Amino acid sequence: MSKLPARRTATLTLAAAAALTLALVTSASANGPAAGTPAPAAAPAPSVSGSPESAFTRIADFYGAYIDAVYDGDGPTAERLRSFYLSDRLQAELKKWEEVNHADGVLRAQNVPLGWKVASTGSGTGRTDATVTLTWGSGTTKVYVQADLATRRIVSIRD
C-alpha cells in the first residue's frame, strides 16, 4: 500500500508540472512571436506644461497660440496675442520689418508653419533666450527669441 500514495504523489506532481509548462508557453505566445520577447513599449502621451511666472513658458505659449490663430485665419486674435505678449518696442519693429519684407514678422514667413518647437538656450542679464524651430512642408527654419525676465514680455525676434 505504500506504493499507491507515492504513485499518486508522482502523478499529481507530473500534472502540476504539465499545467505550469502549458501556462508559461501560452503566456509567452501571447507576449510576442519569440518566447521571452518583451512587448514594444508604448510611446508616452504628449504633454505640455508651463508656468505663468516663466518668461520661457511665455515664449512657448505665445508661439503656440499665435500659430493657431494665424492658421485659423483669426487676425484679431493674432493681434491681441501680439499686444499681450510682445513689448511695445518690438511691435513697432515688427511692423516696419513686415512693411519691408511683406511677410509675418513673428514667423518670418508668408505662410503658416505645420509645427513648432521652442527650446531654451539660457538666461542671463535679465533676459531669457529661446530658439523657435518652425516646421514647414519642405524643412525647418529657426527664429531666435528673447524675453525680459521681469516683465515676461518678448523683446526680440530675429532670424
Side-chain angles (χ1 to χ4, degrees):
M1 288 198 131
S2 66
K3 288 186 177 184
L4 283 176
R7 191 176 274 174
R8 184 179 173 150
T9 301
T11 303
L12 287 173
T13 302
L14 222 94
L20 183 58
T21 301
L22 180 62
L24 288 173
V25 169
T26 302
S27 174
S29 295
N31 284 337
T37 302
S47 175
V48 177
S49 63
S51 166
E53 296 177 349
S54 166
F56 171 72
T57 298
R58 297 282 181 112
I59 294 171
D61 290 345
F62 170 69
Y63 268 89
Y66 185 80
I67 289 169
D68 288 348
V70 174
Y71 180 84
D72 290 346
D74 189 347
T77 296
E79 286 303 316
R80 284 193 301 273
L81 289 165
R82 282 180 176 227
S83 179
F84 182 78
Y85 284 99
L86 307 181
S87 71
D88 293 339
R89 192 178 115 251
L90 178 58
Q91 289 179 64
E93 288 174 14
L94 288 176
K95 190 172 193 160
K96 289 177 188 173
W97 188 95
E98 291 167 345
E99 288 172 2
V100 170
N101 293 283
H102 306 288
D104 185 305
V106 171
L107 303 175
R108 298 297 208 234
Q110 293 177 338
N111 299 323
V112 183
L114 301 173
W116 55 271
K117 179 180 178 181
V118 180
S120 175
T121 54
S123 293
T125 64
R127 306 280 169 97
T128 191
D129 297 310
T131 299
V132 179
T133 303
L134 303 172
T135 303
W136 311 92
S138 61
T140 62
T141 58
K142 293 185 186 299
V143 178
Y144 304 96
V145 181
Q146 193 172 66
D148 183 274
L149 292 173
T151 65
R152 296 177 302 279
R153 295 187 86 178
I154 296 170
V155 295
S156 173
I157 296 174
R158 58 184 173 79
D159 43 353

